[in-house]
Amino acid sequence: MAEKKVFVIGIDGATFEIIKPNLHKLPTFSKIVKQGASGFLKSTIPPLSPPAWTSIVTGTNPGRHGIFDFFAETSDGYDLKLSYLKKRKGKAIWHILNENGKKTVIVNFPFTYPPEKVNGLMISGLGSPGMESNFTYPNSLKQELLDNVPDYRIDVDVEEFYLNHKSIFVNDIYHLTEARKRAVLYLMEEKDWDFFMVIFVGSDRLQHFLWDTHLQMNTSKGAIRYNVILKYYELIDSIISEILQKLDENTINFIVSDHGFQQVKRDFYINNWLKSIGLLHLKSQGSFSAWLIKHGFTTESSNAVLMRHAHSKWYKILHKVIPKRLISFFALNLSNIRKYCDWHKTKAFSYSFTGQGLRINLKGREQNGIVNPEEYNDLRDSIAFKLSKLTEPETGRKIVSKIYKREEIYAGPYLKDAPDLLIQLNDGFAMFGGFGNDIFSNKKDLAQKSTNEPNGHIWKAAHDINGVFMSFGKDIHPVQVEANVMDIAPTILHILDIPIPQMMDGNVLRNIFDTNSVLYNRLEKIEEETRKNEEIEDDEREILTKEEELEIMERLKGLGYM
């Protein structure tokens, strides 16, 4: 009997909110929903790409793999560093498969730069400095890739969106996706593999910037933007069809997203709120950044001004004259609260611009911590209580859905690195660190003034905890399931008849298998020895240079993650 293979298609930010109402326009998705397994894929808390994708490929929770956000604190103070490959603990599924003699092909997986040494191929995705970098393993694959797909790129140029060239931005995403498809089809045909995984990112980029499906669906502008997003799903649907046609009956296909999406009607700037209740303080003098914040020049206000005037002549002139690095440096300083907080008075702060976490300025842990350990739990309880009572001024609707202490949702040796409180907001709200002009920003404000973009953060939609899960192939039967991102890795190992490490938190999704199949009736193999959490080590891997790190930071800033 031929051995099983697995093909995973990752669609960053894919949501059933778009898929289900449009199944009549998405024939491949419709076929899989009818003939295969499908349902929500519960993301991590918070539902951010770095922890979620890492949980998908490690089968572990963030307390075990150590990735909680795009960024992590440095060991010597309040600065941030990229939550990067060096930080990931435990082995990704491709390393486990390689140890068991399987060949793997990984395309466009985020935050795998420098690319990892594998028995097969790896093309790094988001988090790579750019096309000039060595973003493939082996290095020779880069030239082969560009010889066969000369227009291959790692990610979209978001700068076109900021320049108000939305049609260029959208077409760029379509083109990027088509090129990625051609790369995948080439590698499928030309390379040996037992496990293949590719991530498509255009859905995430489009939905963040061009969602507009609820408030403005009755307007022609909203309908057009919705169609832009739906058109992308139609493109992905056709790509999945092409891939499935090339898979034999021994290959099982998975379609997964790291999180879902929901519309943002209002931004919540938690650092402004902490400041309003006396738990966060700005420096009174000596900081230019603090002076800017106090006088209303925040990341939010600067973004609003740039978007309002992006089409103007003077902006385009300045854009050419002022070095891009200078603009990036200025923006990064505004979004980094560590530059202007008074740590000798601050008790709590949001330590990431996009995360939903809050950190206590704990004595003995933080460089200038002021909260005594015996006060820690009482302060967390007090903050959680006040957040639970926080309401939207106009409607009285509660902002916060759930508040978790880190030990309530994470477990493992890296629990100590997690935010002290995790905050889940009600639908329609998005939480940001940094500083806004006020505690809340209403997305309608600027639109009512006939300007180009709404007030607040530039995103029109933010991540939702409910992602997408689908599986199709021989031995998969029609069933509705509820899965977790941690379930994907152990399920794949079970299909390939490889022992599952004891440290994996996820479960085998046995209910997706036909009850008469070997996969349903076969006992799960569990590793006899407990695998220790460890960093991925590869002596041949480069260390990021300062130039590369700044380039990556610029890209994340452009995407709205800083």
Side-chain angles (χ1 to χ4, degrees), residues 249-280:
E249 65 173 10
N250 294 307
T251 303
I252 290 179
N253 170 244
F254 287 90
I255 299 169
V256 296
S257 67
D258 50 339
H259 51 74
F261 257 86
Q262 61 166 319
Q263 186 177 31
V264 176
K265 299 177 182 178
R266 196 155 210 177
D267 300 331
F268 170 48
Y269 285 88
I270 191 167
N271 284 322
N272 288 64
W273 178 75
L274 290 169
K275 181 173 176 287
S276 75
I277 63 172
L279 293 180
L280 185 149

Side-chain angles (χ1 to χ4, degrees), residues 262-268 356 387-392 395-403 423-431 462-464:
Q262 61 166 319
Q263 186 177 31
V264 176
K265 299 177 182 178
R266 196 155 210 177
D267 300 331
F268 170 48
Q356 295 166 13
L387 279 170
S388 70
K389 301 298 182 183
L390 189 62
T391 59
E392 188 176 27
T395 66
R397 191 163 73 100
K398 286 192 173 183
I399 306 293
V400 176
S401 170
K402 294 178 182 177
I403 305 162
I423 301 154
Q424 201 169 333
L425 303 185
N426 281 314
D427 290 349
F429 296 99
M431 190 177 105
H463 300 174
D464 180 71

Side-chain angles (χ1 to χ4, degrees), residues 219-416:
T219 69
S220 60
K221 182 179 180 182
I224 290 169
R225 290 188 174 182
Y226 182 79
N227 288 336
V228 163
I229 295 171
L230 179 55
K231 182 180 176 183
Y232 185 81
Y233 276 80
E234 290 172 348
L235 173 60
I236 289 294
D237 187 271
S238 68
I239 290 172
I240 296 171
S241 177
E242 287 190 61
I243 291 172
L244 291 180
Q245 288 174 27
K246 293 185 176 295
L247 300 180
D248 61 34
E249 65 173 10
N250 294 307
T251 303
I252 290 179
N253 170 244
F254 287 90
I255 299 169
V256 296
S257 67
D258 50 339
H259 51 74
F261 257 86
Q262 61 166 319
Q263 186 177 31
V264 176
K265 299 177 182 178
R266 196 155 210 177
D267 300 331
F268 170 48
Y269 285 88
I270 191 167
N271 284 322
N272 288 64
W273 178 75
L274 290 169
K275 181 173 176 287
S276 75
I277 63 172
L279 293 180
L280 185 149
H281 294 265
L282 297 179
K283 295 175 183 177
S284 58
Q285 58 184 3
S287 169
F288 179 60
S289 296
W291 182 89
L292 288 171
I293 296 297
K294 284 188 175 183
H295 289 79
F297 199 88
T298 63
T299 329
E300 172 196 282
S301 62
S302 60
N303 275 342
V305 170
L306 289 176
M307 290 306 300
R308 197 180 309 161
H309 299 286
H311 62 291
S312 67
K313 184 177 180 180
W314 68 263
Y315 177 85
K316 292 175 181 178
I317 292 172
L318 287 175
H319 185 265
K320 291 179 180 179
V321 173
I322 300 176
K324 185 178 179 181
R325 289 288 166 86
L326 182 59
I327 296 173
S328 177
F329 176 81
F330 183 66
L332 294 180
N333 273 276
L334 280 179
S335 62
N336 185 357
I337 71 163
R338 287 155 170 71
K339 299 291 184 181
Y340 43 80
C341 272
D342 186 341
W343 298 111
H344 299 289
K345 296 180 181 178
T346 293
K347 289 189 174 183
F349 59 100
S350 177
Y351 83 115
S352 168
F353 191 63
T354 55
Q356 295 166 13
L358 188 149
R359 196 166 179 88
I360 303 299
N361 195 21
L362 188 63
K363 187 179 291 186
R365 182 182 69 182
E366 312 295 342
Q367 189 180 46
N368 297 305
I370 64 169
V371 176
N372 291 316
E374 56 269 24
E375 300 176 79
Y376 175 75
N377 282 322
D378 287 343
L379 181 57
R380 287 199 301 174
D381 289 339
S382 173
I383 293 171
F385 177 78
K386 291 176 181 177
L387 279 170
S388 70
K389 301 298 182 183
L390 189 62
T391 59
E392 188 176 27
E394 297 86 355
T395 66
R397 191 163 73 100
K398 286 192 173 183
I399 306 293
V400 176
S401 170
K402 294 178 182 177
I403 305 162
Y404 302 95
K405 294 178 180 178
R406 60 184 183 177
E407 62 270 21
E408 293 175 341
I409 54 174
Y410 302 138
Y414 304 102
L415 173 64
K416 60 183 175 58

Side-chain angles (χ1 to χ4, degrees), residues 79-150:
D79 284 333
L80 292 178
K81 62 182 178 181
L82 288 168
S83 188
Y84 220 61
L85 177 64
K86 279 283 189 182
K87 180 72 175 175
R88 189 183 79 213
K89 306 301 190 295
K91 292 192 174 181
I93 189 168
W94 46 81
H95 289 295
I96 298 172
L97 294 175
N98 292 164
E99 290 172 354
N100 286 270
K102 303 293 185 182
K103 288 191 173 182
T104 57
V105 176
I106 313 299
V107 179
N108 199 45
F109 197 87
F111 296 98
T112 50
Y113 181 87
E116 300 168 36
K117 185 177 180 180
V118 293
N119 179 16
L121 310 169
M122 176 173 282
I123 302 174
S124 299
L126 176 65
S128 303
M131 293 298 293
E132 298 77 21
S133 63
N134 293 321
F135 61 91
T136 69
Y137 178 85
N139 287 343
S140 59
L141 175 62
K142 177 181 176 180
Q143 191 57 54
E144 181 182 353
L145 174 67
L146 295 178
D147 286 344
N148 289 277
V149 189

Side-chain angles (χ1 to χ4, degrees), residues 456-507:
H457 193 277
I458 194 171
W459 286 350
K460 299 288 184 66
H463 300 174
D464 180 71
I465 198 165
N466 290 315
V468 166
F469 170 83
M470 295 183 184
S471 186
F472 184 75
K474 185 181 178 182
D475 296 334
I476 305 296
H477 71 147
V479 64
Q480 285 288 310
V481 298
E482 287 192 9
N484 188 286
V485 287
M486 296 181 291
D487 298 334
I488 304 303
T491 301
I492 292 170
L493 292 177
H494 177 71
I495 290 170
L496 298 177
D497 201 22
I498 289 173
I500 300 166
Q502 292 183 35
M503 64 176 283
M504 284 193 175
D505 298 302
N507 299 304

